[in-house]
Amino acid sequence: MPVEDVARESPSRQTGGASYESTEGGAPPGGQYCTFRLGGLTIGIDVHKVQEVIRHDRMTPVPLAPPELVGLINLRGEIVPALDLRSQLGLPSEGDLAASVLVRTKGETVSLLVAEVGDVVEPSPLDYEPVPPTVPARVRELVTGTFKLEGMLLLVLDPDRVLAHFGSASPQARQHA
Amino acid sequence: MNDKDDALDEIVREFLVESAENLDQLDRDLVSLERDPTSRDLLAGIFRAVHTIKGTTGFLGFARLEQVAHRAENLLSKLRDGALELDTARTNILLEVSDTVRAILAHIEATGNDDDGRDRSDLLARLAELQEARAQGPGEVAIQTAPSQKTPGPASPVAEEIAREPQNEDAIAPEGETKQAAAPSVVTATAKTTAPKRPARNARGAGTAPATQATAPKAEPTAPVPAAAREETPSPTPRSSQDVPATVSLSAAEHTVRVDVDLLDGLMRQMGELVLARNQLVSHGNDLDDGGRALQRLSLIVSELQEGVTKTRMQPVEQLWAKLPRVVRDLAKQFSKEVDLSLEGGDTELDRSVLEAVKDPLTHLVRNALDHGIEGPAEREAAGKRRVGNLRLSASHQNGKVVLEMADDGAGIDPERVGAKAVEKGLVTPERLAQMTTREITDLVFQPGFSTAKQISNISGRGVGMDVVRTNIERIGGSVDLASTPRAGTTVRIKIPLTLAIIPALLVTARGSMYALAQAAVQELVHLEGAALREQVERVDTALLYRLRGHLLPLLRLDEALGYETTPFESQKALDIVIAQADGEPFGLVVDRVEGTQEIVVKPLAHQLKNLPVYAGATVLGDGSVALILDVAGLADSGSVREGRAAAQGGEVRSSEGGRAEALLLLRVGGERRVAVPLGLVERLEEVGAQQLEHAGNRRALQYRGELLPIVWLAEVLAIPAETLEGRRLPVVVCSDGERSVGLVAEQILDVVEEVVNVDAIGAAQGVLGTAVVQGRATDFLDLLTAAEYAGVVFRPSLDLSLSGVLSTNGPRPEVAANAS
């Protein structure tokens, strides 16, 4: 599916987070998820939190910034930090990150770089499972739960948590790297 | 349920904003009133402000606030009616009321209720006491009228009755009606007493005009003009109703709309984008079918829109001025000093973010002036000055910037004391001090950790003063300049940009990425290669130093500062250095390449990046790419600059033993006269065609950077025959005192030299301060003040022309023949 379609299908742009209820610690959320591929994993983000998906052309590196910050992109005049979550998710930092998923949380827009954009899916709440305890702690910090779909596991990523860990988690990340 | 709460919140918020404005006005009026206790206009205004607050608080159910306001109103109504006289005790308590009301309002804003748990009974009791203590009041009228409450005596009882009646209703009336209800009581007061004086206080804005019609008729029935008033005023009725608009400031509500600041900021941001998009479109304009006419129109509209949006964020300096009378009064009382404050140029407009940024520095300067600058009355009289000190603040537009100037006629800054203090604090070495000019010594007060207060007061003199002022002003691209004459006073000049939204920037590259630097922090650009590089850049331990006209500057390599691995400097063939200044201290920033200048829109960084001190923000360049904006102060704070400074201090003392080298610009004037100008006063060198000069009367001027630059022939100043420069291009030396500029025409620009010179005043003549041997030849030192006067430009006399104090400009100078015209 072309990137542009994903953006159009996310109905959230006007409503913002108004209808969205935090899933933190609560029951398995139903609803739709935008899916992305990153380092061999399939990641889902609540459609209400995805503002749009773009292909970025240029990025300005920020020396001295935390390592997950790849650079700054110009989104119609707004300067948006672009994050590569691979090291935080314990994934190998190889391969291109072609697409930029813009998520809006707490008044800030952040771009999450992904390798590939997938479909919008609506998994059955019955397929929901909490994050297995075998998953490394730093991944569990960002992922709220999983859905078992046909032949794959969808990791539900919470952009709020990503942002909360941005910068603060970097010394840790540096040590891991 | 929710809606109702919101509606109430809305009213409370409105009330808070309005009350804050009322209180500011109240403070100003009270301070003015203290000087002119008989002004009924002022009293009426104060009464109205308190009355409005009281009325609204009653309606909103803030009982504690109402109680305070009510007592204050009682006192005020007696003052207004002349039953009591305003003295210092009463002024103090009214100001205290104003502070108390502010405190309660702040509490309401934070918590939604007015119970801040503090006991105000003392204040209330004192209010009651002062309102009864008639014996204190020197007014005999008060004593006379007191017993005559029931008889139709002069002034007070009538007014009091009328004033009181509607008030009780206000307490329960909805807010909208409160103001209207308040009006009659005010009208009564002013009608009686202000008519002969005419409106001293002008109504704010045209918005009050409709209010006149609404309230004036109402005033008539409720305000039976008392007999006393008729005696005072020949034609009370028509005039007094004209006076009503002058004093009833029912706010400019009809003509203004309150807009949320975030909304304006958003508009401004989008405006910047629109301008950038327009600029990108314009380059394709010719490809369009209609030859770009529609685009041209769009372009024009965008420009006008931009101007309009920019204006919405402009606020008058008056907003800064408004707080000062109160500050000055309180401080003057505290230090037992007498001060006349005059404020000028309040209508000068500034972007609100700039206004916000200069507020604290300005307040600090005012405090400094009162604490350290202006002397006590006795000391002043002993020095042959007026008892009352003068503090003058002015604001004006100059060369697209706003200049705030604060001048006092106090004790000035004593260079000796400053110098001694700086040595004592270890800020400079005694050797270094001995070589410093008066101006450089005075500037030491901007050093962090400097404070000359003999005893530490609780207001200033804690050693966190002037350096913070300078840092804060420089952070917004401004500059602070201090000129002081011992015993005569101090002038502080703050230059600030009109807006922070768009700033001129220098673009440089490091490791293939583009970075922007605020132009305001950039002093000059230097390209070094070959012999110059080897001679002028040296390494002391790990620090790199660059020798610029006798000063050693620490060098910072941008790529290193950004955390990149660097190659040793010795392997580089050429260096591009940006000389930048932070906290008054220059340093050199080594960049890969200087790309040029561009106006940029400053955007904040994501808050996760805010803790990186080397960045001040980011911007989108013309080609749509993002560039980081470097923070000069943040870079200067890096380790290698500090190391370099330490190394430079040692190096400088060593290098300058046996006199200090002066950087001089050498000119040839007339046939063979050699004239030297201190390079520090030279802004730039130009070459112009003779036909570019314009003549105005006997004076000549040059269109230069959008302004007229007065031009003077040095040969004329020195009264020697000039060479004919017919058909040649004229070398013009642009000199400036930082504010005014003048262009000097010489026959030839010879050289820039650095030499240790000994100027002998024996050679002094018209336009010449003295003579010295430079490059083995006798050279005249130009008297720039005189030269400027030839062009009709008066330079600041405090300008440091003195070549490290070798020559005194304050001493007798050759008289200037008042020729020129």
Side-chain angles (χ1 to χ4, degrees):
Chain A
M1 184 187 291
V3 169
E4 290 74 15
D5 286 347
V6 177
R8 226 170 288 139
E9 276 173 27
S10 81
S12 64
R13 279 203 249 167
Q14 300 308 318
T15 54
S19 62
Y20 175 79
E21 296 291 331
S22 172
T23 61
E24 217 158 315
Q32 298 181 315
Y33 293 87
C34 294
T35 63
F36 313 97
R37 301 283 298 173
L38 183 64
L41 294 182
T42 307
I43 289 169
I45 299 178
D46 185 331
V47 288
H48 293 103
K49 298 218 160 180
V50 177
Q51 180 181 318
E52 61 190 296
V53 178
I54 57 165
R55 288 189 191 281
H56 54 269
D57 47 354
R58 269 181 301 188
M59 208 179 289
T60 303
V62 183
L64 308 176
E68 66 264 34
L69 182 90
V70 182
L72 301 174
I73 55 176
N74 172 12
L75 177 72
R76 295 183 298 278
E78 194 182 349
I79 294 174
V80 175
L83 307 184
D84 176 358
L85 300 178
R86 285 180 299 192
S87 73
Q88 266 178 290
L89 292 173
L91 302 172
S93 295
E94 285 159 15
D96 278 355
L97 299 178
S100 184
V101 181
L102 290 155
V103 294
R104 190 160 187 83
T105 63
K106 292 171 185 149
E108 268 188 282
T109 306
V110 172
S111 150
L112 304 179
L113 299 180
V114 298
E116 214 178 303
V117 180
D119 292 338
V120 172
V121 298
E122 192 167 354
S124 158
L126 296 175
D127 294 329
Y128 181 82
E129 279 180 21
V131 188
T134 49
V135 170
R138 57 198 156 121
V139 177
R140 261 181 296 163
E141 280 172 3
L142 308 181
V143 175
T144 53
T146 61
F147 284 100
K148 267 200 178 131
L149 303 182
E150 269 174 61
M152 65 168 173
L153 191 69
L154 181 70
L155 298 173
V156 178
L157 191 76
D158 181 356
D160 284 343
R161 295 194 184 184
V162 171
L163 232 70
H165 282 85
F166 170 38
S168 69
S170 63
Q172 240 182 1
R174 266 192 203 114
Q175 277 165 18
H176 286 297
Chain B
M1 177 64 197
N2 250 334
D3 284 357
K4 211 173 153 192
D5 280 354
D6 283 353
L8 189 63
D9 279 355
E10 191 64 36
I11 293 173
V12 172
R13 247 196 314 278
E14 183 89 354
F15 161 68
L16 289 171
V17 172
E18 195 181 73
S19 298
E21 282 171 10
N22 275 333
L23 287 170
D24 285 350
Q25 182 68 35
L26 185 74
D27 276 0
R28 256 172 289 160
D29 287 354
L30 272 173
V31 175
S32 314
L33 191 64
E34 203 178 17
R35 289 167 182 226
D36 181 13
T38 54
S39 168
R40 300 292 157 184
D41 280 355
L42 289 171
L43 260 176
I46 293 164
F47 180 86
R48 191 168 48 251
V50 173
H51 180 79
T52 306
I53 291 169
K54 193 203 80 170
T56 318
T57 50
F59 165 61
L60 293 172
F62 297 129
R64 282 161 163 266
L65 189 51
E66 189 190 5
Q67 208 178 5
V68 175
H70 180 73
R71 292 278 175 95
E73 188 188 16
N74 284 350
L75 174 59
L76 277 166
S77 79
K78 291 195 178 164
L79 288 167
R80 186 195 57 188
D81 302 338
L84 291 173
E85 187 107 347
L86 187 76
D87 52 20
T88 306
R90 291 195 176 106
T91 308
N92 280 342
I93 201 158
L94 286 170
L95 287 172
E96 200 181 327
V97 165
S98 158
D99 289 341
T100 307
V101 171
R102 263 200 196 91
I104 300 178
L105 287 175
H107 191 78
I108 292 174
E109 195 168 7
T111 65
N113 70 66
D114 67 340
D115 184 1
D116 61 353
R118 282 206 267 168
D119 185 16
R120 317 271 186 212
S121 53
D122 171 56
L123 174 68
L124 293 175
R126 277 183 293 135
L127 265 172
E129 188 184 315
L130 280 169
Q131 139 184 203
E132 296 306 330
R134 306 203 160 177
Q136 281 184 15
E140 290 187 357
V141 181
I143 293 159
Q144 275 172 14
T145 50
S148 65
Q149 287 280 351
K150 279 169 198 134
T151 57
S156 78
V158 180
E160 207 159 287
E161 237 169 76
I162 295 162
R164 256 154 218 280
E165 229 170 309
Q167 279 163 31
N168 298 333
E169 290 165 17
D170 303 343
I172 46 163
E175 197 218 9
E177 283 170 40
T178 312
K179 288 182 195 162
Q180 297 254 328
S185 68
V186 172
V187 170
T188 330
T190 48
K192 274 190 324 196
T193 52
T194 60
K197 284 198 172 160
R198 305 293 298 149
R201 235 165 53 90
N202 44 1
R204 292 199 293 175
T208 47
T212 318
Q213 276 137 29
T215 50
K218 271 192 187 166
E220 296 308 311
T222 43
V225 178
R230 268 192 213 120
E231 284 164 26
E232 281 173 30
T233 52
S235 56
T237 333
R239 281 185 70 184
S240 58
S241 57
Q242 275 175 4
D243 274 351
V244 173
T247 45
V248 177
S249 56
L250 275 186
S251 90
E254 290 89 343
H255 282 251
T256 55
V257 176
R258 275 188 210 288
V259 182
D260 190 73
V261 163
D262 289 343
L263 181 62
L264 286 183
D265 288 349
L267 276 178
M268 192 73 187
R269 217 170 34 240
Q270 284 148 1
M271 194 63 236
E273 292 317 312
L274 185 58
V275 171
L276 286 182
R278 189 262 321 259
N279 294 349
Q280 281 164 11
L281 265 184
V282 164
S283 56
H284 303 298
N286 294 334
D287 310 342
L288 295 174
D289 290 345
D290 66 345
R293 234 168 315 181
L295 183 60
Q296 210 168 29
R297 237 188 47 231
L298 174 78
S299 173
L300 201 71
I301 295 169
V302 168
S303 297
E304 283 176 8
L305 196 58
Q306 185 187 18
E307 203 174 309
V309 170
T310 310
K311 268 191 196 153
T312 59
R313 288 165 48 99
M314 297 296 236
Q315 289 181 318
V317 173
E318 182 64 40
Q319 298 220 349
L320 285 179
W321 285 180
K323 308 257 179 211
L324 293 178
R326 171 79 193 271
V327 171
V328 169
R329 178 207 178 263
D330 288 359
L331 290 172
K333 286 267 178 319
Q334 187 180 338
F335 299 129
S336 311
K337 289 174 181 177
E338 292 175 32
V339 181
D340 260 346
L341 174 71
S342 61
L343 300 167
E344 293 163 19
D347 54 352
T348 311
E349 288 198 320
L350 266 177
D351 188 279
R352 52 167 289 278
S353 48
V354 184
L355 208 60
E356 201 56 39
V358 295
K359 199 165 83 187
D360 287 346
L362 194 73
T363 312
H364 194 90
L365 287 174
V366 168
R367 289 177 172 190
N368 256 339
L370 264 101
D371 194 356
H372 307 311
I374 292 169
E375 315 92 324
E379 202 181 323
R380 288 183 63 87
E381 277 182 344
K385 297 183 189 177
R386 267 181 64 218
R387 274 181 73 82
V388 182
N390 279 313
L391 184 64
R392 190 180 62 85
L393 282 101
S394 63
S396 58
H397 286 287
Q398 279 173 18
N399 303 334
K401 289 203 165 194
V402 169
V403 176
L404 301 179
E405 198 176 86
M406 189 193 77
D408 67 55
D409 63 349
I413 296 172
D414 181 357
E416 264 176 42
R417 237 183 69 205
V418 169
K421 195 85 185 176
V423 171
E424 183 193 315
K425 296 248 168 186
L427 297 173
V428 290
T429 57
E431 298 82 30
R432 176 89 187 87
L433 182 69
Q435 295 156 6
M436 289 168 86
T437 63
T438 316
R439 193 174 184 77
E440 281 173 331
I441 294 171
T442 312
D443 271 356
L444 285 173
V445 300
F446 288 114
Q447 289 286 327
F450 184 91
S451 171
T452 56
K454 280 177 195 147
Q455 72 192 89
I456 291 174
S457 69
N458 63 351
I459 300 298
S460 47
R462 278 168 299 189
V464 285
M466 297 300 277
D467 62 316
V468 176
V469 169
R470 174 173 269 184
T471 311
N472 286 346
I473 298 292
E474 282 179 354
R475 185 146 287 157
I476 56 165
S479 63
V480 187
D481 198 22
L482 191 143
S484 175
T485 315
R487 293 177 298 284
T490 306
T491 301
V492 182
R493 190 190 301 258
I494 302 176
K495 268 196 217 173
I496 37 178
L498 272 179
T499 172
L500 300 183
I502 298 177
I503 62 165
L506 182 75
L507 299 180
V508 300
T509 54
R511 296 298 164 107
S513 282
M514 192 92 88
Y515 296 89
L517 275 164
Q519 276 277 23
V522 175
Q523 286 187 327
E524 57 188 291
L525 305 175
V526 179
H527 177 83
L528 286 180
E529 55 180 83
L533 176 60
R534 282 190 300 281
E535 280 167 21
Q536 292 173 34
V537 177
E538 53 195 273
R539 187 184 280 282
V540 178
D541 300 331
T542 56
L544 280 183
L545 298 175
Y546 165 54
R547 188 175 295 278
L548 175 71
R549 293 189 290 275
H551 291 276
L552 280 172
L553 303 184
L555 284 185
L556 175 68
R557 301 173 68 174
L558 180 55
D559 47 7
E560 197 181 329
L562 295 176
Y564 292 104
E565 294 277 318
T566 54
T567 51
F569 122 86
E570 281 80 4
S571 68
Q572 277 178 303
K573 290 198 173 68
L575 285 186
D576 275 316
I577 304 173
V578 177
I579 310 292
Q581 186 170 344
D583 302 324
E585 295 273 358
F587 71 100
L589 184 67
V590 180
V591 299
D592 288 354
R593 213 169 47 238
V594 174
E595 296 290 338
T597 60
Q598 191 175 329
E599 303 250 294
I600 59 168
V601 178
V602 181
K603 292 166 193 283
L605 282 175
H607 77 261
Q608 295 89 349
L609 296 175
K610 290 241 166 84
N611 55 359
L612 296 177
V614 294
Y615 304 123
T619 188
V620 176
L621 299 176
D623 64 357
S625 64
V626 176
L628 287 157
I629 303 169
L630 298 171
D631 185 302
V632 173
L635 287 170
D637 206 32
S638 75
S640 54
V641 172
R642 267 178 307 196
E643 266 172 47
R645 281 208 207 296
Q649 274 225 335
E652 204 141 315
V653 172
R654 275 200 306 278
S655 71
S656 54
E657 275 161 16
R660 177 169 141 166
E662 285 295 338
L664 301 168
L665 178 70
L666 293 183
L667 308 169
R668 185 170 64 82
V669 178
E672 284 302 312
R673 280 281 275 280
R674 289 163 61 92
V675 172
V677 180
L679 198 62
L681 300 175
V682 176
E683 207 161 61
R684 53 172 55 218
L685 305 176
E686 297 282 340
E687 243 189 6
V688 300
Q691 73 283 356
Q692 282 175 265
L693 291 182
E694 296 181 13
H695 294 256
N698 286 335
R699 301 223 168 112
R700 278 155 297 199
L702 178 68
Q703 291 256 10
Y704 182 68
R705 298 181 163 197
E707 299 203 1
L708 272 186
L709 176 75
I711 296 287
V712 60
W713 255 255
L714 285 182
E716 276 179 25
V717 178
L718 304 181
I720 53 176
E723 256 174 38
T724 59
L725 297 165
E726 219 58 58
R728 271 181 51 193
R729 291 185 66 80
L730 308 177
V732 177
V733 180
V734 183
C735 294
S736 165
D737 68 346
E739 188 181 325
R740 287 160 290 249
S741 297
V742 68
L744 311 174
V745 176
E747 267 67 18
Q748 194 185 347
I749 292 169
L750 294 172
D751 204 354
V752 174
V753 296
E754 261 178 58
E755 276 194 28
V756 178
V757 292
N758 289 305
V759 182
D760 193 341
I762 286 175
Q766 174 164 314
V768 176
L769 291 171
T771 305
V773 176
V774 178
Q775 288 186 330
R777 296 178 60 181
T779 304
D780 290 333
F781 278 73
L782 182 71
D783 178 355
L784 192 57
L785 292 187
T786 305
E789 277 172 46
Y790 266 81
V793 176
V794 181
F795 269 0
R796 239 175 330 133
S798 59
L799 184 65
D800 190 11
L801 296 168
S802 59
L803 292 171
S804 326
V806 180
L807 296 168
S808 165
T809 49
N810 292 331
R813 285 191 293 121
E815 279 296 305
V816 187
N819 75 338
S821 57

